[in-house]
PDB file of all heavy atoms in Angstrom:
ATOM      1  N   ARG A   1       0.787  -1.196  -0.058  1.00  0.00           N
ATOM      2  CA  ARG A   1       0.041   0.021   0.018  1.00  0.00           C
ATOM      3  C   ARG A   1       0.785   1.269   0.032  1.00  0.00           C
ATOM      4  O   ARG A   1       0.286   2.340   0.019  1.00  0.00           O
ATOM      5  CB  ARG A   1      -0.969  -0.017   1.232  1.00  0.00           C
ATOM      6  CG  ARG A   1      -1.964  -1.090   1.286  1.00  0.00           C
ATOM      7  CD  ARG A   1      -2.969  -0.837   2.283  1.00  0.00           C
ATOM      8  NE  ARG A   1      -2.417  -0.617   3.612  1.00  0.00           N
ATOM      9  CZ  ARG A   1      -2.399  -1.549   4.582  1.00  0.00           C
ATOM     10  NH1 ARG A   1      -2.833  -2.831   4.370  1.00  0.00           N
ATOM     11  NH2 ARG A   1      -1.927  -1.364   5.749  1.00  0.00           N
ATOM     12  N   GLY A   2       2.222   1.083  -0.012  1.00  0.00           N
ATOM     13  CA  GLY A   2       3.141   2.118  -0.025  1.00  0.00           C
ATOM     14  C   GLY A   2       3.588   2.736   1.275  1.00  0.00           C
ATOM     15  O   GLY A   2       4.414   3.633   1.406  1.00  0.00           O
ATOM     16  N   GLU A   3       3.230   2.026   2.317  1.00  0.00           N
ATOM     17  CA  GLU A   3       3.760   2.276   3.667  1.00  0.00           C
ATOM     18  C   GLU A   3       5.193   1.849   3.754  1.00  0.00           C
ATOM     19  O   GLU A   3       5.590   0.858   3.194  1.00  0.00           O
ATOM     20  CB  GLU A   3       2.887   1.678   4.728  1.00  0.00           C
ATOM     21  CG  GLU A   3       1.470   2.256   4.775  1.00  0.00           C
ATOM     22  CD  GLU A   3       0.771   1.707   6.012  1.00  0.00           C
ATOM     23  OE1 GLU A   3       1.325   1.320   7.077  1.00  0.00           O
ATOM     24  OE2 GLU A   3      -0.522   1.539   5.684  1.00  0.00           O
ATOM     25  N   ILE A   4       6.075   2.572   4.680  1.00  0.00           N
ATOM     26  CA  ILE A   4       7.525   2.163   4.739  1.00  0.00           C
ATOM     27  C   ILE A   4       7.491   1.468   6.080  1.00  0.00           C
ATOM     28  O   ILE A   4       7.085   1.886   7.069  1.00  0.00           O
ATOM     29  CB  ILE A   4       8.346   3.395   4.712  1.00  0.00           C
ATOM     30  CG1 ILE A   4       8.207   4.007   3.337  1.00  0.00           C
ATOM     31  CG2 ILE A   4       9.880   3.149   5.071  1.00  0.00           C
ATOM     32  CD1 ILE A   4       8.981   5.355   3.233  1.00  0.00           C
ATOM     33  N   ALA A   5       8.208   0.316   6.099  1.00  0.00           N
ATOM     34  CA  ALA A   5       8.445  -0.486   7.396  1.00  0.00           C
ATOM     35  C   ALA A   5       9.877  -0.401   7.612  1.00  0.00           C
ATOM     36  O   ALA A   5      10.688  -0.776   6.938  1.00  0.00           O
ATOM     37  CB  ALA A   5       8.024  -1.906   7.180  1.00  0.00           C
ATOM     38  N   THR A   6      10.196   0.200   8.759  1.00  0.00           N
ATOM     39  CA  THR A   6      11.535   0.329   9.218  1.00  0.00           C
ATOM     40  C   THR A   6      11.912  -0.781  10.136  1.00  0.00           C
ATOM     41  O   THR A   6      10.840  -1.390  10.862  1.00  0.00           O
ATOM     42  CB  THR A   6      11.861   1.644  10.042  1.00  0.00           C
ATOM     43  OG1 THR A   6      10.987   1.664  11.240  1.00  0.00           O
ATOM     44  CG2 THR A   6      11.417   2.877   9.084  1.00  0.00           C
ATOM     45  N   VAL A   7      13.182  -1.050  10.407  1.00  0.00           N
ATOM     46  CA  VAL A   7      13.527  -2.144  11.182  1.00  0.00           C
ATOM     47  C   VAL A   7      13.135  -1.875  12.719  1.00  0.00           C
ATOM     48  O   VAL A   7      12.855  -2.666  13.411  1.00  0.00           O
ATOM     49  CB  VAL A   7      15.010  -2.339  11.266  1.00  0.00           C
ATOM     50  CG1 VAL A   7      15.588  -3.352  12.264  1.00  0.00           C
ATOM     51  CG2 VAL A   7      15.504  -2.904   9.752  1.00  0.00           C
ATOM     52  N   ALA A   8      13.266  -0.619  12.959  1.00  0.00           N
ATOM     53  CA  ALA A   8      12.787  -0.148  14.345  1.00  0.00           C
ATOM     54  C   ALA A   8      11.290  -0.412  14.600  1.00  0.00           C
ATOM     55  O   ALA A   8      10.878  -0.991  15.726  1.00  0.00           O
ATOM     56  CB  ALA A   8      13.082   1.408  14.568  1.00  0.00           C
ATOM     57  N   LYS A   9      10.503  -0.193  13.598  1.00  0.00           N
ATOM     58  CA  LYS A   9       9.020  -0.477  13.849  1.00  0.00           C
ATOM     59  C   LYS A   9       8.804  -1.933  13.855  1.00  0.00           C
ATOM     60  O   LYS A   9       7.993  -2.538  14.751  1.00  0.00           O
ATOM     61  CB  LYS A   9       8.175   0.168  12.629  1.00  0.00           C
ATOM     62  CG  LYS A   9       6.737  -0.175  12.720  1.00  0.00           C
ATOM     63  CD  LYS A   9       6.068   0.323  13.918  1.00  0.00           C
ATOM     64  CE  LYS A   9       4.529   0.103  13.795  1.00  0.00           C
ATOM     65  NZ  LYS A   9       3.996  -0.021  15.173  1.00  0.00           N
ATOM     66  N   ILE A  10       9.411  -2.698  13.013  1.00  0.00           N
ATOM     67  CA  ILE A  10       9.376  -4.153  12.935  1.00  0.00           C
ATOM     68  C   ILE A  10       9.778  -4.794  14.379  1.00  0.00           C
ATOM     69  O   ILE A  10       9.209  -5.629  14.990  1.00  0.00           O
ATOM     70  CB  ILE A  10      10.166  -4.842  11.795  1.00  0.00           C
ATOM     71  CG1 ILE A  10       9.515  -4.357  10.470  1.00  0.00           C
ATOM     72  CG2 ILE A  10      10.077  -6.393  11.874  1.00  0.00           C
ATOM     73  CD1 ILE A  10      10.305  -4.725   9.267  1.00  0.00           C
ATOM     74  N   LYS A  11      10.841  -4.327  14.709  1.00  0.00           N
ATOM     75  CA  LYS A  11      11.459  -4.711  16.154  1.00  0.00           C
ATOM     76  C   LYS A  11      10.463  -4.429  17.216  1.00  0.00           C
ATOM     77  O   LYS A  11      10.144  -5.238  18.033  1.00  0.00           O
ATOM     78  CB  LYS A  11      12.750  -4.054  16.419  1.00  0.00           C
ATOM     79  CG  LYS A  11      13.454  -4.517  17.680  1.00  0.00           C
ATOM     80  CD  LYS A  11      14.772  -3.815  17.778  1.00  0.00           C
ATOM     81  CE  LYS A  11      15.559  -4.213  19.182  1.00  0.00           C
ATOM     82  NZ  LYS A  11      14.931  -3.875  20.284  1.00  0.00           N
ATOM     83  N   GLU A  12       9.898  -3.295  17.230  1.00  0.00           N
ATOM     84  CA  GLU A  12       8.927  -2.940  18.198  1.00  0.00           C
ATOM     85  C   GLU A  12       7.690  -3.852  18.184  1.00  0.00           C
ATOM     86  O   GLU A  12       7.338  -4.326  19.283  1.00  0.00           O
ATOM     87  CB  GLU A  12       8.461  -1.449  17.969  1.00  0.00           C
ATOM     88  CG  GLU A  12       7.415  -0.860  18.882  1.00  0.00           C
ATOM     89  CD  GLU A  12       6.900   0.405  18.673  1.00  0.00           C
ATOM     90  OE1 GLU A  12       7.718   1.309  18.067  1.00  0.00           O
ATOM     91  OE2 GLU A  12       5.642   0.766  18.628  1.00  0.00           O
ATOM     92  N   ASP A  13       7.152  -4.139  16.993  1.00  0.00           N
ATOM     93  CA  ASP A  13       6.019  -4.968  16.878  1.00  0.00           C
ATOM     94  C   ASP A  13       6.382  -6.427  17.386  1.00  0.00           C
ATOM     95  O   ASP A  13       5.578  -7.241  17.948  1.00  0.00           O
ATOM     96  CB  ASP A  13       5.393  -4.967  15.590  1.00  0.00           C
ATOM     97  CG  ASP A  13       4.676  -3.548  15.250  1.00  0.00           C
ATOM     98  OD1 ASP A  13       4.639  -2.795  16.198  1.00  0.00           O
ATOM     99  OD2 ASP A  13       4.310  -3.424  14.118  1.00  0.00           O
ATOM    100  N   TYR A  14       7.553  -6.868  16.922  1.00  0.00           N
ATOM    101  CA  TYR A  14       7.995  -8.210  17.250  1.00  0.00           C
ATOM    102  C   TYR A  14       8.109  -8.329  18.669  1.00  0.00           C
ATOM    103  O   TYR A  14       7.705  -9.390  19.346  1.00  0.00           O
ATOM    104  CB  TYR A  14       9.341  -8.452  16.513  1.00  0.00           C
ATOM    105  CG  TYR A  14       9.868  -9.840  16.624  1.00  0.00           C
ATOM    106  CD1 TYR A  14       9.335 -10.846  15.677  1.00  0.00           C
ATOM    107  CD2 TYR A  14      10.672 -10.272  17.680  1.00  0.00           C
ATOM    108  CE1 TYR A  14       9.686 -12.080  15.672  1.00  0.00           C
ATOM    109  CE2 TYR A  14      11.182 -11.666  17.721  1.00  0.00           C
ATOM    110  CZ  TYR A  14      10.689 -12.472  16.628  1.00  0.00           C
ATOM    111  OH  TYR A  14      11.031 -13.756  16.731  1.00  0.00           O
ATOM    112  N   GLU A  15       8.688  -7.318  19.363  1.00  0.00           N
ATOM    113  CA  GLU A  15       8.868  -7.451  20.851  1.00  0.00           C
ATOM    114  C   GLU A  15       7.526  -7.519  21.557  1.00  0.00           C
ATOM    115  O   GLU A  15       7.384  -8.206  22.459  1.00  0.00           O
ATOM    116  CB  GLU A  15       9.638  -6.310  21.360  1.00  0.00           C
ATOM    117  CG  GLU A  15      11.142  -6.341  21.051  1.00  0.00           C
ATOM    118  CD  GLU A  15      11.921  -5.220  21.386  1.00  0.00           C
ATOM    119  OE1 GLU A  15      11.393  -4.115  21.634  1.00  0.00           O
ATOM    120  OE2 GLU A  15      13.263  -5.336  21.462  1.00  0.00           O
ATOM    121  N   LYS A  16       6.497  -6.785  21.116  1.00  0.00           N
ATOM    122  CA  LYS A  16       5.168  -6.768  21.564  1.00  0.00           C
ATOM    123  C   LYS A  16       4.503  -8.169  21.455  1.00  0.00           C
ATOM    124  O   LYS A  16       3.858  -8.688  22.377  1.00  0.00           O
ATOM    125  CB  LYS A  16       4.243  -5.815  20.885  1.00  0.00           C
ATOM    126  CG  LYS A  16       4.458  -4.424  21.427  1.00  0.00           C
ATOM    127  CD  LYS A  16       3.703  -3.492  20.669  1.00  0.00           C
ATOM    128  CE  LYS A  16       3.921  -1.979  20.889  1.00  0.00           C
ATOM    129  NZ  LYS A  16       3.177  -1.108  20.125  1.00  0.00           N
ATOM    130  N   LEU A  17       4.857  -8.915  20.300  1.00  0.00           N
ATOM    131  CA  LEU A  17       4.321 -10.164  20.004  1.00  0.00           C
ATOM    132  C   LEU A  17       4.979 -11.271  20.848  1.00  0.00           C
ATOM    133  O   LEU A  17       4.272 -12.117  21.443  1.00  0.00           O
ATOM    134  CB  LEU A  17       4.451 -10.513  18.534  1.00  0.00           C
ATOM    135  CG  LEU A  17       4.093 -11.823  18.117  1.00  0.00           C
ATOM    136  CD1 LEU A  17       2.592 -11.870  18.154  1.00  0.00           C
ATOM    137  CD2 LEU A  17       4.465 -12.067  16.693  1.00  0.00           C
ATOM    138  N   VAL A  18       6.270 -11.251  21.090  1.00  0.00           N
ATOM    139  CA  VAL A  18       6.916 -12.243  21.860  1.00  0.00           C
ATOM    140  C   VAL A  18       6.855 -11.977  23.386  1.00  0.00           C
ATOM    141  O   VAL A  18       7.291 -12.819  24.107  1.00  0.00           O
ATOM    142  CB  VAL A  18       8.397 -12.530  21.304  1.00  0.00           C
ATOM    143  CG1 VAL A  18       8.298 -13.203  19.931  1.00  0.00           C
ATOM    144  CG2 VAL A  18       9.221 -11.446  21.528  1.00  0.00           C
ATOM    145  N   GLY A  19       6.700 -10.718  23.640  1.00  0.00           N
ATOM    146  CA  GLY A  19       6.561 -10.347  25.117  1.00  0.00           C
ATOM    147  C   GLY A  19       8.011 -10.130  25.902  1.00  0.00           C
ATOM    148  O   GLY A  19       7.986 -10.217  27.084  1.00  0.00           O
ATOM    149  N   GLN A  20       8.926  -9.808  24.978  1.00  0.00           N
ATOM    150  CA  GLN A  20      10.266  -9.557  25.642  1.00  0.00           C
ATOM    151  C   GLN A  20      11.178  -8.772  24.746  1.00  0.00           C
ATOM    152  O   GLN A  20      10.821  -8.662  23.432  1.00  0.00           O
ATOM    153  CB  GLN A  20      11.063 -10.700  26.009  1.00  0.00           C
ATOM    154  CG  GLN A  20      11.303 -11.809  24.982  1.00  0.00           C
ATOM    155  CD  GLN A  20      11.915 -12.999  25.594  1.00  0.00           C
ATOM    156  OE1 GLN A  20      11.476 -13.532  26.498  1.00  0.00           O
ATOM    157  NE2 GLN A  20      12.971 -13.427  24.956  1.00  0.00           N
ATOM    158  N   THR A  21      12.144  -8.132  25.122  1.00  0.00           N
ATOM    159  CA  THR A  21      12.965  -7.385  24.225  1.00  0.00           C
ATOM    160  C   THR A  21      14.027  -8.323  23.407  1.00  0.00           C
ATOM    161  O   THR A  21      14.335  -9.463  23.984  1.00  0.00           O
ATOM    162  CB  THR A  21      13.851  -6.376  24.962  1.00  0.00           C
ATOM    163  OG1 THR A  21      14.637  -7.033  25.936  1.00  0.00           O
ATOM    164  CG2 THR A  21      13.021  -5.288  25.662  1.00  0.00           C
ATOM    165  N   VAL A  22      14.345  -7.950  22.233  1.00  0.00           N
ATOM    166  CA  VAL A  22      15.099  -8.753  21.387  1.00  0.00           C
ATOM    167  C   VAL A  22      16.233  -7.912  20.811  1.00  0.00           C
ATOM    168  O   VAL A  22      16.059  -6.624  20.693  1.00  0.00           O
ATOM    169  CB  VAL A  22      14.403  -9.588  20.228  1.00  0.00           C
ATOM    170  CG1 VAL A  22      13.399 -10.553  20.888  1.00  0.00           C
ATOM    171  CG2 VAL A  22      13.729  -8.503  19.249  1.00  0.00           C
ATOM    172  N   HIS A  23      17.335  -8.413  20.515  1.00  0.00           N
ATOM    173  CA  HIS A  23      18.403  -7.697  19.878  1.00  0.00           C
ATOM    174  C   HIS A  23      18.036  -7.406  18.333  1.00  0.00           C
ATOM    175  O   HIS A  23      17.305  -8.230  17.716  1.00  0.00           O
ATOM    176  CB  HIS A  23      19.736  -8.348  20.001  1.00  0.00           C
ATOM    177  CG  HIS A  23      21.015  -7.574  19.676  1.00  0.00           C
ATOM    178  ND1 HIS A  23      21.364  -7.450  18.431  1.00  0.00           N
ATOM    179  CD2 HIS A  23      21.718  -6.767  20.580  1.00  0.00           C
ATOM    180  CE1 HIS A  23      22.555  -6.579  18.507  1.00  0.00           C
ATOM    181  NE2 HIS A  23      22.762  -6.143  19.684  1.00  0.00           N
ATOM    182  N   LYS A  24      18.651  -6.242  17.834  1.00  0.00           N
ATOM    183  CA  LYS A  24      18.235  -5.907  16.472  1.00  0.00           C
ATOM    184  C   LYS A  24      18.637  -6.996  15.464  1.00  0.00           C
ATOM    185  O   LYS A  24      18.101  -7.058  14.416  1.00  0.00           O
ATOM    186  CB  LYS A  24      18.738  -4.510  16.086  1.00  0.00           C
ATOM    187  CG  LYS A  24      20.365  -4.389  16.186  1.00  0.00           C
ATOM    188  CD  LYS A  24      20.706  -3.008  15.727  1.00  0.00           C
ATOM    189  CE  LYS A  24      22.256  -2.923  15.854  1.00  0.00           C
ATOM    190  NZ  LYS A  24      22.769  -1.609  15.646  1.00  0.00           N
ATOM    191  N   THR A  25      19.728  -7.682  15.820  1.00  0.00           N
ATOM    192  CA  THR A  25      20.177  -8.724  14.874  1.00  0.00           C
ATOM    193  C   THR A  25      19.071  -9.905  14.734  1.00  0.00           C
ATOM    194  O   THR A  25      19.126 -10.590  13.725  1.00  0.00           O
ATOM    195  CB  THR A  25      21.610  -9.366  15.369  1.00  0.00           C
ATOM    196  OG1 THR A  25      21.396  -9.822  16.598  1.00  0.00           O
ATOM    197  CG2 THR A  25      22.685  -8.265  15.296  1.00  0.00           C
ATOM    198  N   THR A  26      18.367 -10.071  15.745  1.00  0.00           N
ATOM    199  CA  THR A  26      17.122 -10.987  15.560  1.00  0.00           C
ATOM    200  C   THR A  26      16.281 -10.615  14.486  1.00  0.00           C
ATOM    201  O   THR A  26      15.840 -11.320  13.719  1.00  0.00           O
ATOM    202  CB  THR A  26      16.451 -11.086  16.992  1.00  0.00           C
ATOM    203  OG1 THR A  26      17.228 -11.499  17.966  1.00  0.00           O
ATOM    204  CG2 THR A  26      15.262 -11.907  16.862  1.00  0.00           C
ATOM    205  N   ILE A  27      16.080  -9.219  14.394  1.00  0.00           N
ATOM    206  CA  ILE A  27      15.142  -8.841  13.365  1.00  0.00           C
ATOM    207  C   ILE A  27      15.770  -8.923  11.945  1.00  0.00           C
ATOM    208  O   ILE A  27      15.223  -9.310  10.979  1.00  0.00           O
ATOM    209  CB  ILE A  27      14.714  -7.391  13.681  1.00  0.00           C
ATOM    210  CG1 ILE A  27      13.961  -7.252  14.985  1.00  0.00           C
ATOM    211  CG2 ILE A  27      13.775  -6.911  12.435  1.00  0.00           C
ATOM    212  CD1 ILE A  27      12.930  -8.143  15.203  1.00  0.00           C
ATOM    213  N   TYR A  28      17.090  -8.568  11.889  1.00  0.00           N
ATOM    214  CA  TYR A  28      17.771  -8.661  10.461  1.00  0.00           C
ATOM    215  C   TYR A  28      17.841 -10.194  10.083  1.00  0.00           C
ATOM    216  O   TYR A  28      17.718 -10.444   8.863  1.00  0.00           O
ATOM    217  CB  TYR A  28      19.171  -8.086  10.729  1.00  0.00           C
ATOM    218  CG  TYR A  28      19.225  -6.644  10.705  1.00  0.00           C
ATOM    219  CD1 TYR A  28      19.645  -5.925  11.881  1.00  0.00           C
ATOM    220  CD2 TYR A  28      18.954  -5.946   9.570  1.00  0.00           C
ATOM    221  CE1 TYR A  28      19.658  -4.545  11.847  1.00  0.00           C
ATOM    222  CE2 TYR A  28      18.919  -4.559   9.639  1.00  0.00           C
ATOM    223  CZ  TYR A  28      19.281  -3.836  10.665  1.00  0.00           C
ATOM    224  OH  TYR A  28      19.235  -2.441  10.835  1.00  0.00           O
ATOM    225  N   ARG A  29      18.026 -11.183  10.965  1.00  0.00           N
ATOM    226  CA  ARG A  29      17.921 -12.508  10.644  1.00  0.00           C
ATOM    227  C   ARG A  29      16.648 -12.886  10.195  1.00  0.00           C
ATOM    228  O   ARG A  29      16.399 -13.707   9.254  1.00  0.00           O
ATOM    229  CB  ARG A  29      18.481 -13.387  11.762  1.00  0.00           C
ATOM    230  CG  ARG A  29      19.935 -13.391  12.051  1.00  0.00           C
ATOM    231  CD  ARG A  29      20.325 -14.489  12.953  1.00  0.00           C
ATOM    232  NE  ARG A  29      19.685 -14.399  14.314  1.00  0.00           N
ATOM    233  CZ  ARG A  29      20.181 -13.729  15.306  1.00  0.00           C
ATOM    234  NH1 ARG A  29      21.312 -13.098  15.217  1.00  0.00           N
ATOM    235  NH2 ARG A  29      19.546 -13.775  16.515  1.00  0.00           N
TER     236      ARG A  29
END
């Protein structure tokens, strides 16, 4: 739809989903 997804936003949503903080390399992998 043209929205931009940043790693920071993906990381934020991922952490909410798993219920804990993760390192940024987790998102890159």
Side-chain angles (χ1 to χ4, degrees):
R1 293 190 308 257
E3 295 180 35
I4 297 174
T6 64
V7 171
K9 177 62 177 155
I10 295 171
K11 181 178 183 290
E12 179 185 321
D13 289 356
Y14 189 83
E15 288 175 340
K16 286 179 187 174
L17 182 63
V18 299
Q20 63 186 45
T21 60
V22 298
H23 196 271
K24 65 181 176 183
T25 57
T26 300
I27 304 305
Y28 284 112
R29 283 192 303 268

